[in-house]
Amino acid sequence: MRLRNVTGSREYIADSRFVIHDPEERKGKWSGVFNNNNPIRIEIGMGKGKFIMQLAKENPEINFIGIEKYSTVLLRAIQKMEAEELPNLVFIRMDAEDINEVFAKGEVDRIYLNFSDPWPKDRHAKRRLESREFLARYNECLKSDGIIEFKTDNRALFDFAVEEVPEAGWEIIKLSYDLHADEEMMMGNIMTEYEEKFSSMGNPICKYIIRR
Ligand code: SAM
Protein backbone atom coordinates (compact mmCIF):
# COMPACT_ATOMS: atom_id res chain seq x y z
CA MET A 1 0.00 0.00 0.00
CA ARG A 2 2.84 2.40 0.75
CA LEU A 3 3.82 3.98 -2.54
CA ARG A 4 7.24 5.34 -1.74
CA ASN A 5 8.05 7.48 -4.73
CA VAL A 6 5.14 9.65 -5.65
CA THR A 7 7.03 12.85 -6.29
CA GLY A 8 5.53 15.94 -4.70
CA SER A 9 2.81 14.15 -2.72
CA ARG A 10 3.51 16.26 0.40
CA GLU A 11 3.28 19.48 -1.58
CA TYR A 12 0.09 18.28 -3.30
CA ILE A 13 -1.48 17.49 0.07
CA ALA A 14 -0.38 20.83 1.52
CA ASP A 15 -2.44 22.56 -1.19
CA SER A 16 -5.54 20.39 -0.83
CA ARG A 17 -8.72 21.86 0.61
CA PHE A 18 -9.96 18.34 1.40
CA VAL A 19 -7.24 17.92 4.02
CA ILE A 20 -7.37 19.53 7.47
CA HIS A 21 -3.86 20.85 7.88
CA ASP A 22 -4.13 22.02 11.50
CA PRO A 23 -6.13 19.18 13.11
CA GLU A 24 -4.88 19.97 16.64
CA GLU A 25 -6.53 23.40 16.33
CA ARG A 26 -9.88 21.69 15.64
CA LYS A 27 -9.88 19.65 18.85
CA GLY A 28 -13.34 19.97 20.41
CA LYS A 29 -14.47 22.08 17.42
CA TRP A 30 -14.90 19.58 14.58
CA SER A 31 -18.57 20.52 14.14
CA GLY A 32 -17.28 23.86 12.87
CA VAL A 33 -15.38 22.15 10.07
CA PHE A 34 -18.62 20.67 8.75
CA ASN A 35 -20.90 23.58 9.79
CA ASN A 36 -23.37 21.23 11.48
CA ASN A 37 -23.76 19.14 14.63
CA ASN A 38 -23.99 15.77 12.92
CA PRO A 39 -22.14 12.82 14.47
CA ILE A 40 -18.49 12.36 13.55
CA ARG A 41 -17.14 8.98 12.49
CA ILE A 42 -13.52 8.29 11.67
CA GLU A 43 -11.63 5.64 9.73
CA ILE A 44 -8.06 5.07 10.88
CA GLY A 45 -5.67 3.82 8.19
CA MET A 46 -8.12 4.55 5.38
CA GLY A 47 -5.60 3.86 2.61
CA LYS A 48 -6.87 5.16 -0.74
CA GLY A 49 -10.25 5.98 0.79
CA LYS A 50 -12.66 3.72 -1.12
CA PHE A 51 -14.56 2.59 2.00
CA ILE A 52 -14.98 5.97 3.68
CA MET A 53 -15.95 7.73 0.46
CA GLN A 54 -18.73 5.23 -0.21
CA LEU A 55 -19.86 5.45 3.43
CA ALA A 56 -19.93 9.26 3.25
CA LYS A 57 -21.90 9.14 0.01
CA GLU A 58 -24.51 6.80 1.52
CA ASN A 59 -24.80 8.74 4.81
CA PRO A 60 -24.97 12.49 4.14
CA GLU A 61 -26.33 13.11 7.67
CA ILE A 62 -23.09 11.88 9.23
CA ASN A 63 -19.68 13.55 9.10
CA PHE A 64 -16.65 11.44 8.24
CA ILE A 65 -12.93 11.96 8.77
CA GLY A 66 -10.40 9.71 7.06
CA ILE A 67 -7.05 9.36 8.80
CA GLU A 68 -3.97 8.12 6.96
CA LYS A 69 -0.32 8.16 7.98
CA TYR A 70 1.34 8.29 4.58
CA SER A 71 1.16 11.16 2.10
CA THR A 72 1.68 8.92 -0.89
CA VAL A 73 -1.46 6.93 0.01
CA LEU A 74 -3.54 9.93 1.09
CA LEU A 75 -2.80 11.52 -2.27
CA ARG A 76 -4.90 8.81 -3.96
CA ALA A 77 -7.90 9.57 -1.73
CA ILE A 78 -7.57 13.30 -2.46
CA GLN A 79 -7.57 12.61 -6.18
CA LYS A 80 -10.81 10.65 -5.80
CA MET A 81 -12.39 13.55 -3.88
CA GLU A 82 -11.36 15.94 -6.64
CA ALA A 83 -13.32 13.76 -9.06
CA GLU A 84 -16.33 13.53 -6.73
CA GLU A 85 -16.48 16.07 -3.91
CA LEU A 86 -18.34 15.07 -0.72
CA PRO A 87 -19.31 17.83 1.75
CA ASN A 88 -19.38 15.46 4.76
CA LEU A 89 -15.84 14.06 4.38
CA VAL A 90 -12.38 15.45 5.16
CA PHE A 91 -8.96 13.87 5.54
CA ILE A 92 -6.11 14.16 8.04
CA ARG A 93 -2.55 12.99 7.47
CA MET A 94 -1.35 11.82 10.86
CA ASP A 95 -0.24 8.87 12.94
CA ALA A 96 -3.21 7.57 14.92
CA GLU A 97 -0.96 7.46 17.98
CA ASP A 98 -1.70 11.17 18.34
CA ILE A 99 -5.46 10.84 18.05
CA ASN A 100 -6.16 12.51 21.38
CA GLU A 101 -4.25 15.61 20.29
CA VAL A 102 -6.88 16.03 17.61
CA PHE A 103 -10.20 14.94 19.17
CA ALA A 104 -11.68 16.00 22.49
CA LYS A 105 -13.18 13.56 24.97
CA GLY A 106 -16.23 11.87 23.44
CA GLU A 107 -16.04 13.86 20.20
CA VAL A 108 -16.03 10.77 17.97
CA ASP A 109 -19.20 8.75 17.44
CA ARG A 110 -17.69 5.65 15.79
CA ILE A 111 -14.28 4.31 14.70
CA TYR A 112 -13.65 2.08 11.69
CA LEU A 113 -10.47 -0.01 11.44
CA ASN A 114 -10.07 -1.91 8.17
CA PHE A 115 -7.27 -4.32 7.28
CA SER A 116 -4.86 -2.67 9.68
CA ASP A 117 -1.15 -3.31 9.33
CA PRO A 118 -0.50 -6.60 11.23
CA TRP A 119 2.91 -5.79 12.80
CA PRO A 120 3.61 -9.56 13.11
CA LYS A 121 6.58 -9.33 15.48
CA ASP A 122 5.60 -9.62 19.16
CA ARG A 123 7.76 -6.67 20.12
CA HIS A 124 5.66 -4.49 17.79
CA ALA A 125 2.29 -5.53 19.27
CA LYS A 126 1.76 -2.06 20.75
CA ARG A 127 1.75 -0.59 17.25
CA ARG A 128 -1.27 -2.66 16.18
CA LEU A 129 -4.29 -0.39 15.92
CA GLU A 130 -6.36 -2.98 17.87
CA SER A 131 -3.90 -3.30 20.78
CA ARG A 132 -4.94 -2.45 24.35
CA GLU A 133 -2.72 0.64 24.06
CA PHE A 134 -4.73 1.90 21.08
CA LEU A 135 -8.04 0.88 22.71
CA ALA A 136 -7.04 3.06 25.68
CA ARG A 137 -6.53 5.97 23.27
CA TYR A 138 -9.91 5.36 21.60
CA ASN A 139 -11.46 5.21 25.08
CA GLU A 140 -10.70 8.94 25.41
CA CYS A 141 -12.04 10.33 22.16
CA LEU A 142 -14.92 7.90 21.50
CA LYS A 143 -18.25 8.85 23.09
CA SER A 144 -19.42 6.61 25.93
CA ASP A 145 -21.84 4.54 23.82
CA GLY A 146 -19.64 4.68 20.71
CA ILE A 147 -18.50 1.54 18.89
CA ILE A 148 -15.49 0.30 16.96
CA GLU A 149 -15.87 -1.83 13.84
CA PHE A 150 -12.83 -3.83 12.71
CA LYS A 151 -12.39 -6.02 9.61
CA THR A 152 -9.41 -8.05 8.44
CA ASP A 153 -8.53 -11.26 6.60
CA ASN A 154 -5.48 -11.71 8.86
CA ARG A 155 -6.54 -14.41 11.35
CA ALA A 156 -3.51 -13.94 13.61
CA LEU A 157 -4.18 -10.21 13.89
CA PHE A 158 -7.89 -10.85 14.47
CA ASP A 159 -7.22 -13.43 17.22
CA PHE A 160 -4.90 -10.90 18.88
CA ALA A 161 -7.54 -8.17 18.56
CA VAL A 162 -10.26 -10.38 20.10
CA GLU A 163 -8.00 -11.18 23.07
CA GLU A 164 -7.25 -7.50 23.63
CA VAL A 165 -10.93 -6.53 23.95
CA PRO A 166 -11.60 -7.76 27.53
CA GLU A 167 -8.04 -6.87 28.60
CA ALA A 168 -8.81 -3.26 27.72
CA GLY A 169 -12.22 -3.34 29.45
CA TRP A 170 -14.28 -3.45 26.25
CA GLU A 171 -16.86 -6.04 25.14
CA ILE A 172 -17.65 -7.72 21.83
CA ILE A 173 -21.17 -7.05 20.55
CA LYS A 174 -20.88 -8.94 17.27
CA LEU A 175 -18.22 -11.17 15.74
CA SER A 176 -17.81 -13.20 12.57
CA TYR A 177 -14.93 -15.28 11.25
CA ASP A 178 -16.56 -15.29 7.81
CA LEU A 179 -18.28 -11.97 7.33
CA HIS A 180 -19.29 -12.54 3.73
CA ALA A 181 -21.24 -15.65 4.78
CA ASP A 182 -23.00 -13.82 7.64
CA GLU A 183 -26.24 -12.39 6.30
CA GLU A 184 -26.92 -10.14 9.29
CA MET A 185 -23.44 -8.66 9.60
CA MET A 186 -23.20 -8.20 5.82
CA MET A 187 -26.18 -5.83 5.76
CA GLY A 188 -24.86 -2.50 4.46
CA ASN A 189 -21.29 -3.83 4.22
CA ILE A 190 -18.99 -1.65 2.15
CA MET A 191 -15.94 -3.38 0.75
CA THR A 192 -12.54 -1.79 1.28
CA GLU A 193 -9.76 -2.03 -1.31
CA TYR A 194 -8.05 -4.78 0.69
CA GLU A 195 -11.34 -6.57 1.32
CA GLU A 196 -12.02 -6.77 -2.43
CA LYS A 197 -8.54 -8.05 -3.08
CA PHE A 198 -8.36 -10.67 -0.34
CA SER A 199 -11.96 -11.92 -0.52
CA SER A 200 -11.55 -12.43 -4.28
CA MET A 201 -8.59 -14.68 -3.42
CA GLY A 202 -10.94 -16.76 -1.25
CA ASN A 203 -9.75 -15.46 2.15
CA PRO A 204 -12.54 -15.31 4.76
CA ILE A 205 -12.99 -11.86 6.26
CA CYS A 206 -13.20 -11.52 10.05
CA LYS A 207 -15.12 -8.69 11.71
CA TYR A 208 -15.90 -7.56 15.22
CA ILE A 209 -17.97 -4.73 16.66
CA ILE A 210 -17.02 -3.68 20.19
CA ARG A 211 -18.13 -1.23 22.86
CA ARG A 212 -17.24 -0.46 26.48
N1 SAM B 1 -8.09 0.41 5.14
C1 SAM B 1 -7.62 0.22 3.79
C2 SAM B 1 -8.24 -1.01 3.18
O1 SAM B 1 -8.84 -1.80 3.92
O2 SAM B 1 -8.17 -1.16 1.94
C3 SAM B 1 -6.07 0.15 3.75
C4 SAM B 1 -5.44 -1.00 4.47
S1 SAM B 1 -3.66 -0.87 4.55
C5 SAM B 1 -3.14 -2.48 4.88
C6 SAM B 1 -3.39 -0.07 6.13
C7 SAM B 1 -3.35 1.43 6.03
O3 SAM B 1 -3.25 1.97 7.34
C8 SAM B 1 -2.14 1.95 5.26
O4 SAM B 1 -2.55 2.89 4.30
C9 SAM B 1 -1.26 2.58 6.36
O5 SAM B 1 -0.47 3.65 5.87
C10 SAM B 1 -2.30 3.02 7.36
N2 SAM B 1 -1.79 3.12 8.74
C11 SAM B 1 -1.07 2.18 9.39
N3 SAM B 1 -0.76 2.58 10.63
C12 SAM B 1 -1.32 3.80 10.79
C13 SAM B 1 -1.35 4.73 11.86
N4 SAM B 1 -0.72 4.49 13.02
N5 SAM B 1 -2.01 5.90 11.69
C14 SAM B 1 -2.64 6.16 10.51
N6 SAM B 1 -2.64 5.32 9.46
C15 SAM B 1 -1.98 4.15 9.58
Side-chain angles (χ1 to χ4, degrees):
M1 173 58 82
R2 206 179 311 164
L3 315 169
R4 287 177 195 281
N5 296 313
V6 181
T7 318
S9 58
R10 279 196 178 246
E11 293 75 7
Y12 197 94
I13 288 166
D15 286 340
S16 174
R17 64 196 167 88
F18 302 124
V19 178
I20 302 300
H21 302 286
D22 55 354
E24 295 89 353
E25 302 301 313
R26 313 302 176 126
K27 184 172 177 173
K29 298 180 269 191
W30 281 97
S31 305
V33 169
F34 297 100
N35 290 317
N36 60 50
N37 286 316
N38 294 343
I40 293 169
R41 299 187 183 177
I42 65 175
E43 184 187 10
I44 299 177
M46 68 161 178
K48 298 177 192 167
K50 176 183 180 291
F51 171 86
I52 200 164
M53 289 191 73
Q54 185 62 33
L55 204 54
K57 214 183 299 181
E58 290 180 11
N59 297 279
E61 74 297 346
I62 295 168
N63 299 321
F64 292 92
I65 301 174
I67 295 174
E68 171 53 50
K69 191 168 165 181
Y70 292 105
S71 318
T72 46
V73 185
L74 175 56
L75 176 67
R76 303 303 186 201
I78 293 171
Q79 288 168 336
K80 283 189 199 149
M81 272 279 267
E82 284 166 355
E84 189 178 10
E85 198 169 324
L86 295 165
N88 58 331
L89 172 63
V90 295
F91 304 128
I92 309 174
R93 190 188 66 74
M94 65 176 273
D95 189 320
E97 248 182 50
D98 301 324
I99 195 161
N100 292 315
E101 308 292 319
V102 165
F103 297 105
K105 197 167 175 47
E107 195 167 21
V108 174
D109 169 76
R110 187 174 298 189
I111 299 174
Y112 298 98
L113 305 169
N114 291 315
F115 297 79
S116 311
D117 291 343
W119 292 104
K121 291 185 179 142
D122 283 348
R123 70 172 190 276
H124 291 149
K126 286 182 183 173
R127 298 185 192 177
R128 297 174 194 149
L129 294 177
E130 299 73 26
S131 65
R132 65 194 72 182
E133 289 81 7
F134 269 96
L135 290 177
R137 293 183 181 108
Y138 307 146
N139 191 40
E140 289 294 306
C141 62
L142 188 67
K143 69 176 192 172
S144 55
D145 60 348
I147 59 169
I148 299 178
E149 298 194 17
F150 168 49
K151 294 195 275 190
T152 183
D153 71 318
N154 186 317
R155 185 60 192 264
L157 176 64
F158 192 68
D159 287 345
F160 166 83
V162 166
E163 283 170 20
E164 290 295 88
V165 173
E167 294 294 337
W170 294 60
E171 67 166 334
I172 292 174
I173 315 172
K174 285 184 185 165
L175 178 145
S176 173
Y177 290 99
D178 190 358
L179 172 66
H180 291 191
D182 185 320
E183 207 176 315
E184 191 205 329
M185 282 186 84
M186 268 303 273
M187 273 166 56
N189 185 59
I190 294 171
M191 298 255 264
T192 79
E193 264 122 6
Y194 272 60
E195 186 172 353
E196 275 186 347
K197 181 176 163 190
F198 291 116
S199 61
S200 73
M201 288 163 59
N203 295 6
I205 307 301
C206 303
K207 176 170 180 171
Y208 75 37
I209 302 177
I210 62 170
R211 70 177 170 210
R212 281 152 295 176

